[in-house]
């Protein structure tokens, strides 16, 4: 493929952007990545085109370099390109830094051992510390800071060793980028120290001696975490941020003083940052202060007063976060009241955009109170939010649906308790008014939804509002009755809303479902809406008929049967019958009528499938008792969108037939086995964490070098029982190490068949060792070691190496690893070992201790291909010493 | 505190897909963190096409809302603060913040630094407010200037570069996308200068202050329902001043009988606020002791035009008091509208119109009317009467319209259904603008602006009153109540 033109690249990048996975699969990640990198140095392409190539690298690095090693090479290539740029201003410098950072951080190449990592960090630190004054240099400096900040975000603690340098830069240059980088690094460094506990390697490196910024020496990874924080965070709070189990960090007095000075200085300059940057800085400084013992949060106070007045969502959010972090230590009761009033004001401010108002309203319902009464993490109205304070937050019909619902929710929460209880707070006396208001609003919404041709959005709004109000009205039978009546009227006016009713019945809980079900059944059996509404009535009856008296439903179904219809109609009819079968009212004349109806269905329906089902129901009904009938027809899961109830009621059955993918509830462990002759035996024990039956363990050796293994059956495994031992005969075609892929198929006590994939087991070179076969009785003179040694050549190979085993080590080694294979020995200095490697190779070792320096190992084999494996094996033994 | 991805989707009703992705930007480094933080509840970002489809479906912008779909229409699935969960490949992508404005959908997916197995409250997600800032910034960017397709395309083509500066790794550095050129970017900030004011102004010093007040009203003319009206204002400033950080103080004044300003929200460049300004709130019952200014706002101005502050106020009377009666008689409607301008209001409009719409009735076939003042325009197909009152009310300050209207009910089906104006429930809506006037009386003049910088600046001030949601409901039928006095 020749070099592409700028237009061709634009097309390629558009295709990549549209569907990265498909495009990379088509074009080949490696080829595309290599082409992108080489084109960056091409002189044909213009700078804007190259910037667009870098933008693609910035955005899709994981698709282009799925492998960390390749990613590392790519970062090096990008840095090489950067080094080749001419010293004059170049538009490529910033995107190159960004792209290299993105590739390094997102492809998993950021690591202590990575050369590209150290190179990039050095380049970035140098660029961030640059002093040149031109606009280009300023931009590169800021970009380098951003890149460092991103690396630090991905790997908290990475820059902890450079804290002094960063502080100095922040002092002298003081730009937003430097401030943000320093704050983040400071937070992460303190967090890492707090997590490390009292035995931390060092205190705050370099923070106290800020003026003398030391240039980075060898990189210190001691405080750098594994990756981003461990996600074992407490529920409802982000990140495992310094909420350390070891408690807050104790700093020495000079360190603490220095920290306080640094924080105050940052806060004083925070006015100079853009609002989103201020919000970030404030949140991170709150975290800093929270990490360290004895740091007064009052430092934040002067800034909070300024921020409280602003209309920015992010600044308000940051203020709330610091309130959450420090509570009363930062916000007195009066401050809390003021903050709440500001929040109420913002939530109803007509000049703010609606989403911002809604967010403020959400914050009100999760307001971090100094002394919360309700459970944490749940929505609730703060104690200070009195109904009179919330007057401006009432819902009204003219608001947009999201506003209306959010305000209705607030009203319900605000008055939920008061309406039920005997008028606490100052809601007493207004109870009836609130109820009337709520009912009026709901009635208007129902009226809107009842309009013929009303859009689904207004219908949905009506049902959502009813759902919210139900919770608030639960203790008000009168109001609930009115809601039920209104909804029944709505159904009467528009039976096509049946799916919404079914949904409401499921979601709203018993308190509404019970009376509403009854009311809807009455409307349905009365047959409102004529023949077109029949399908909707059947849908409602399928949901509610089970709990209602049988008679009226049966009458309706008989009448419906007379009208006839298509397959779907027949299925709907059968669905309603099924609901009756599972119902509770099977007394009096009902059962006989139901049996008659089922018989009529079995005979009279057009579709043979429907007739069969009718017959099945009839047989079940006439032969099974009520409780068995209920379980035979299975748990009902109402899924109104399902075309056929056949699928629905067979779901449980079908899942019993299908193999389920599961997490393996069992563990395999290797047990050493020493076979005397072929085959090599691999010993495994199996333990289960729950009862499992009819296990079939399937083994597959990866690669072509082994005969296939047969599956092993185990009838039963119980937790706590002694582990079951399995002996797997391995038949290598070549004596090479490999991996054993293990999967298991089993039955659970619940009757499900499950399939699970277990972790692969490695088969090492040493696992294949066997002693030489014992001499057969016919052979009078078994070959000596010397004869075997000589017989290896010329067909085989020989090698010689030095082993670092001194003194007794050689004897220990032989006892531990080669005991069965020793042919002759002069302990503790000389051993001759002969190992057989199935199917037909052998490995001979002559070990001679050479004084105190180590051991000379001579090895010969009749199979040259195993020589590297043997070498690796011996080196491995040396390493374990 | 970062964003995983940003999308800009245009809603194109009537096209096969209903919309297209105009722009998208993913942040792989943030995605890597999302994977670790979210653990097993991590849901990968979808490609553009499936995302667009799921978004339009969730926002009900596709034409197929014929059937009930639980994931979209379920009564318990109530989205909070424009944050949605999108079903993608059997899992739910959450939180997706999506804001709609002028046919465009602005979307951002903030990083959640915890597991998502249960949705945490939005307030605990540090990136969520940043997502709001980012999208509001984008909305300002796309709303500025002409809204033609060509302009939109130009702006979309500038986005990759802008984001490379303002949000290179998904962490927002500035929410101001409205820049003359990249040299004004915060990232180019010179040392010891505000990041939001990277450049400096060179030229003749001038300060412009404009006060825009809007008035909302709901009038019922009923004994049992109280009328409601509310004023809210925006102060917009443009300061062209030399120097790195010029200090400016603007004081807003009220005349002696003016209505105090409340719920004051200021721009972040304001350096300090008087506690009386901070605490004056609309939830308090008004009395004479309320703080009535002057309202001082000290600040260092950014280069561009900005909203110095927003406020609300409770004025004693609505500027125009009206009543509206509509009765159905023998298949025709009899209407009477009466409007009265309050004597304290400046009788000098730029325009003043009363719109009288008729919903769910079909096109107008016949109209007979009598007006004491102004002219009436009939839009038959839209079933709308427009009463053009003009620049001035007559000396009596009172005007009337009465008439009868007939409709062609056969043409009814073609018109969209209104779910509020059913039966006799209907309204008259007023549209007016009064230049150089505010209802609160709030004003700024030459003496209100103090500039602590070299050179005497030229100061221009202006003010205006505009109607916004000014409804007068038919007093002969039920009307939706904006009940403010419920708990008082």
């Amino acid at each position: 493929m020749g070099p592409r033109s700028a237009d061709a690249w634009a097309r390629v990048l558009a295709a990549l952007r549209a569907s990265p996975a498909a495009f990379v699969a088509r074009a080949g990640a490696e080829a595309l990545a290599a082409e992108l990198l080489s084109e960056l140095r091409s002189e044909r392409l213009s700078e804007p085109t190259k910037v667009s190539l870098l933008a693609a690298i910035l955005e899709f690095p994981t698709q282009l370099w799925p492998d960390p090693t390749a990613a590392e090479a790519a970062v090096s290539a990008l840095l090489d390109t950067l080094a080749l740029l001419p010293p004059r201003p170049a538009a490529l410098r910033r995107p190159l830094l960004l792209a290299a950072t993105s590739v390094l951080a997102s492809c998993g190449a950021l690591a202590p051992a990575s050369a590209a990592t150290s190179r990039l960090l050095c380049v970035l630190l140098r660029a961030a510390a640059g002093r040149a004054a031109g606009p280009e240099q300023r931009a590169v400096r800021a970009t380098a800071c951003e890149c460092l900040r991103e690396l630090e975000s991905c790997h908290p603690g990475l820059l902890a060793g450079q804290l002094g340098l960063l502080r100095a830069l922040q002092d002298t240059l003081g730009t937003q980028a430097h401030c943000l980088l320093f704050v983040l690094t400071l937070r992460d460094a303190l967090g890492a120290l707090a997590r490390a506990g009292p035995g931390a390697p060092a205190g705050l490196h370099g923070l106290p001696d800020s003026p003398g910024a030391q240039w980075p020496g060898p990189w210190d990874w001691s405080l750098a975490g594994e990756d981003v924080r461990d996600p074992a965070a407490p529920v409802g709070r982000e990140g495992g941020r310094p909420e350390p189990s070891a408690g807050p960090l104790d700093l020495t007095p000079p360190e603490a003083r220095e920290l306080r000075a640094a924080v105050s200085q940052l806060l004083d300059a925070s006015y100079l940052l853009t609002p989103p940057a201020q919000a970030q800085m404030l949140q991170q400084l709150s975290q800093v202060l929270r990490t360290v013992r004895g740091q007064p949060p009052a430092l934040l106070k002067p800034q909070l007063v300024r921020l409280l007045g602003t209309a920015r969502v992010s600044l308000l959010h940051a203020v709330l976060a610091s309130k959450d972090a420090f509570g009363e230590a930062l916000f007195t009761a009066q401050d809390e009241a003021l903050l709440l009033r500001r929040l109420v004001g913002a939530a109803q401010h007509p000049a703010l955009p609606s989403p911002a108002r809604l967010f403020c309203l959400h914050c009100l319902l999760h307001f971090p109170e100094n002394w919360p009464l309700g459970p944490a993490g749940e929505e609730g109205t703060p104690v200070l939010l009195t109904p009179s304070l919330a007057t401006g937050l009432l819902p009204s019909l003219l608001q947009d649906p999201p506003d209306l619902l959010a305000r209705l929710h607030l009203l319900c929460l605000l008055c939920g308790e008061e309406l039920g209880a005997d008028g606490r707070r100052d809601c007493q006396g207004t109870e009836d008014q609130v109820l009337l208001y709520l009912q009026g609003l709901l009635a208007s919404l129902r009226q809107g939804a009842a309009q013929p041709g009303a859009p689904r959005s207004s219908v949905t709004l009506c049902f959502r509002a009813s759902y919210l109000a139900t919770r608030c009205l639960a203790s008000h039978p009168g109001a609930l009755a009115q809601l039920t009546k209104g909804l029944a009227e709505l159904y009467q006016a528009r039976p096509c809303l049946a799916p919404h009713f079914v949904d409401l019945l499921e979601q709203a809980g018993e308190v509404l479902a019970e009376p509403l079900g009854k009311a809807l059944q009455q409307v349905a059996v009365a047959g409102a809406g004529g023949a077109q509404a029949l399908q909707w009535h059947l849908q409602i009856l399928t949901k509610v008929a089970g709990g209602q008296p049988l008679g009226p439903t049966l009458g309706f179904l008989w009448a419906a049967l007379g009208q006839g219809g298509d397959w779907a109609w027949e299925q709907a009819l059968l669905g309603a019958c099924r609901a009756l079968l599972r119902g509770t009212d099977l007394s009096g004349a009902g059962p006989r009528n139901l049996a008659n109806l089922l018989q009529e269905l079995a005979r009279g329906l057009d579709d043979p499938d429907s007739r069969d089902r009718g017959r099945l129901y009839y047989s079940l009904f006439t032969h099974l008792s009520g409780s068995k009938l209920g379980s035979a027809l299975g748990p009902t899961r109402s899924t109104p969108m399902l075309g056929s109830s056949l699928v629905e009621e067979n779901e449980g059955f079908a899942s019993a037939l299908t193999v389920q993918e599961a997490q393996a509830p069992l563990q395999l462990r290797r047990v050493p086995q020493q076979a005397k002759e072929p085959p090599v035996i691999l010993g495994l024990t199996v333990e289960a964490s729950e009862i499992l039956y009819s296990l079939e363990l399937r083994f597959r050796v990866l690669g072509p070098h082994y005969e296939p293994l047969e599956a092993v059956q185990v009838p039963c495994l119980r937790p706590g029982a002694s582990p079951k031992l399995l002996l797997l005969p391995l038949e290598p075609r070549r004596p090479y190490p490999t991996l054993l892929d293990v999967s298991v198929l089993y039955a659970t006590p619940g009757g499900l068949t499950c399939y699970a994939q277990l972790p692969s087991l490695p088969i090492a070179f040493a696992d294949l060792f066997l002693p030489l076969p014992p001499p057969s009785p016919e052979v009078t003179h078994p070959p000596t070691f010397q004869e075997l040694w000589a017989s290896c050549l010329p067909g085989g190979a020989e090698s010689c190496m030095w082993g670092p085993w001194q003194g007794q080590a050689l004897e220990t080694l032989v006892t531990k690893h080669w005991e069965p294979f020793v042919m002759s020995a002069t302990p503790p200095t000389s051993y001759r070992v002969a190992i057989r490697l199935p199917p037909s190779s052998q490995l001979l070792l002559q070990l001679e201790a050479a004084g105190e320096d180590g051991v000379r190992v001579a090895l010969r084999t009749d199979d040259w291909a195993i020589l590297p494996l043997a070498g690796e094996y011996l080196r491995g033994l040396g390493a374990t010493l | 505190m970062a964003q995983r991805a940003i999308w800009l989707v245009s809603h194109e009703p009537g096209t096969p897909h209903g919309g297209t992705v105009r722009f998208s930007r993913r942040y792989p480094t943030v995605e890597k963190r999302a994977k670790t933080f979210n653990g097993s509840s991590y849901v990968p970002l979808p490609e553009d096409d499936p995302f667009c489809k799921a978004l339009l479906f969730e926002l009900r912008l596709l034409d197929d809302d014929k059937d009930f779909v639980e994931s979209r229409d379920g009564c318990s699935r109530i989205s909070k603060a424009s944050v949605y969960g999108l079903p993608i490949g059997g899992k739910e992508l959450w939180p997706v913040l999506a804001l709609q404005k002028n046919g465009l959908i602005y979307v951002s997916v903030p990083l959640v630094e915890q597991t998502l197995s249960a949705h945490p409250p939005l307030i605990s997600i540090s990136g969520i407010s940043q997502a709001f800032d980012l999208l509001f910034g984008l909305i300002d960017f796309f709303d500025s200037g002409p809204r033609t397709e060509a302009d939109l395309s130009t702006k979309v083509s500038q986005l990759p570069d802008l984001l490379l500066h303002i949000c290179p790794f998904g962490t927002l550095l500035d929410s101001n996308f409205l820049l003359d050129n990249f040299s004004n970017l915060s990232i180019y900030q010179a040392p010891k200068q505000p990041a939001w004011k990277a450049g400096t102004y060179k030229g003749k010093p001038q300060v412009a202050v404009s006060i825009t007040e809007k008035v909302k009203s709901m009038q019922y003319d009923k004994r049992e329902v109280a009328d409601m009206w509310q004023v809210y204002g925006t102060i917009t400033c443009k300061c062209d001043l030399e120097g790195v950080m010029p200090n400016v103080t603007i004081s807003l004044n009220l005349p002696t009988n003016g209505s105090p300003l409340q719920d004051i929200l200021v721009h972040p460049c304001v350096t300090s606020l008087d506690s009386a300004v901070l605490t004056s709130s609309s939830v308090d019952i008004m009395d004479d002791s309320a703080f009535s200014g002057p309202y001082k706002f000290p600040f260092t101005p950014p280069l561009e035009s900005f909203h110095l502050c927003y406020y609300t106020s409770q004025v004693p009377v609505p500027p125009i008091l009206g009543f509206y009666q509509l009765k159905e008689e023998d298949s025709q409607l009899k209407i009477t509208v009466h409007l009265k301008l309050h004597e304290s209001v400046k009788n000098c409009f730029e325009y003043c119109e009363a719109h009288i719409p008729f919903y769910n009735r079909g096109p107008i076939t016949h109209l007979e009317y009598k007006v004491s003042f102004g002219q009436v325009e009939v839009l038959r197909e839209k079933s709308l009467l427009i009463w053009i009152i003009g620049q001035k009310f007559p000396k009596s300050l009172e005007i009337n319209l009465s008439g009868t209207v007939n409709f062609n009910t056969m043409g009814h089906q073609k018109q969209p259904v209104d779910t509020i104006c059913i039966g006799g429930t209907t309204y008259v809506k007023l549209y007016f603008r009064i230049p150089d006037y505010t209802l609160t009386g709030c004003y700024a003049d030459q003496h209100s602006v103090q500039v602590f910088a070299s050179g005497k600046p030229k100061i221009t001030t202006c003010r205006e009153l505009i109607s916004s949601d000014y409804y007068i409901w038919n007093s002969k039928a039920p009307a939706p109540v904006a009940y403010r006095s419920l708990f008082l």
Side-chain angles (χ1 to χ4, degrees), chain B residues 219-406:
Chain B
Q219 298 178 23
Y220 304 99
D221 186 30
K222 285 181 185 172
R223 189 175 300 238
E224 68 280 10
V225 187
D227 289 352
M228 186 280 282
W229 57 95
Q230 186 185 17
V231 180
Y232 60 100
T234 306
I235 316 279
T236 310
C237 290
K238 175 90 169 78
C239 303
D240 296 328
L241 297 170
E242 290 189 340
V244 177
M245 282 182 73
N247 281 317
V248 181
T249 301
I250 290 184
S251 332
L252 297 177
N253 300 297
L254 287 179
T256 36
N257 56 348
S259 308
L261 311 185
Q262 302 169 327
D263 297 338
I264 297 167
L265 299 173
V266 298
H267 190 269
C269 74
V270 174
T271 46
S272 68
L273 271 184
D274 197 55
S275 69
V277 172
L278 205 58
T279 51
S280 103
S281 163
S282 61
V283 300
D284 296 321
I285 298 167
M286 295 301 301
D287 54 27
D288 293 342
S289 68
F291 175 70
S292 61
Y295 303 87
K296 282 187 189 299
F297 301 102
F299 60 94
T300 296
L303 287 175
E304 68 279 354
S305 165
F306 67 102
H307 299 308
L308 177 66
C309 84
Y310 305 108
Y311 61 83
T312 67
S313 183
Q314 301 172 43
V315 292
V317 286
I320 299 177
L321 191 66
F323 86 87
Y324 177 33
Q325 289 190 348
L326 176 145
K327 277 180 284 185
E328 198 153 8
E329 277 177 13
D330 313 327
S331 80
Q332 66 177 9
L333 297 183
K334 286 192 71 167
I335 58 168
T336 317
V337 186
H338 180 93
L339 301 176
K340 182 177 187 308
L341 181 71
H342 195 269
E343 64 263 22
S344 67
V345 177
K346 183 179 173 189
N347 189 3
C348 180
F349 292 82
E350 181 186 321
Y351 56 84
C352 181
E353 291 177 357
H355 287 210
I356 311 169
F358 302 97
Y359 290 103
N360 306 328
R361 293 183 188 275
I364 297 172
T365 51
H366 183 72
L367 168 77
E368 279 177 32
Y369 70 91
K370 212 174 84 189
V371 281
S372 67
F373 192 82
Q375 316 106 49
V376 174
E377 216 174 84
V378 191
L379 302 179
R380 287 175 192 275
E381 283 306 310
K382 289 183 176 167
S383 317
L384 175 68
L385 300 184
I386 301 178
W387 181 11
I388 301 166
I389 296 154
Q391 275 71 44
K392 248 178 162 39
F393 273 61
K395 247 196 177 126
S396 65
L397 301 181
E398 288 185 49
I399 53 174
N400 297 296
L401 178 151
S402 59
T404 55
V405 200
N406 293 65

Side-chain angles (χ1 to χ4, degrees), chain A residues 519-545:
Chain A
L520 291 181
Q521 190 232 13
Q522 282 164 4
V523 177
V525 297
Q532 296 132 319
L534 191 64
Q535 53 156 330
W536 304 122
H537 293 329
L538 287 172
Q539 206 175 96
I540 288 289
L541 288 175
T542 304
K543 178 71 195 158
V544 304

Side-chain angles (χ1 to χ4, degrees), chain A residues 805 807 810 828-830 847-851 854-856:
Chain A
W805 307 295
L810 179 61
T829 55
S830 163
L847 304 125
E848 303 282 350
V855 176
R856 177 180 174 278

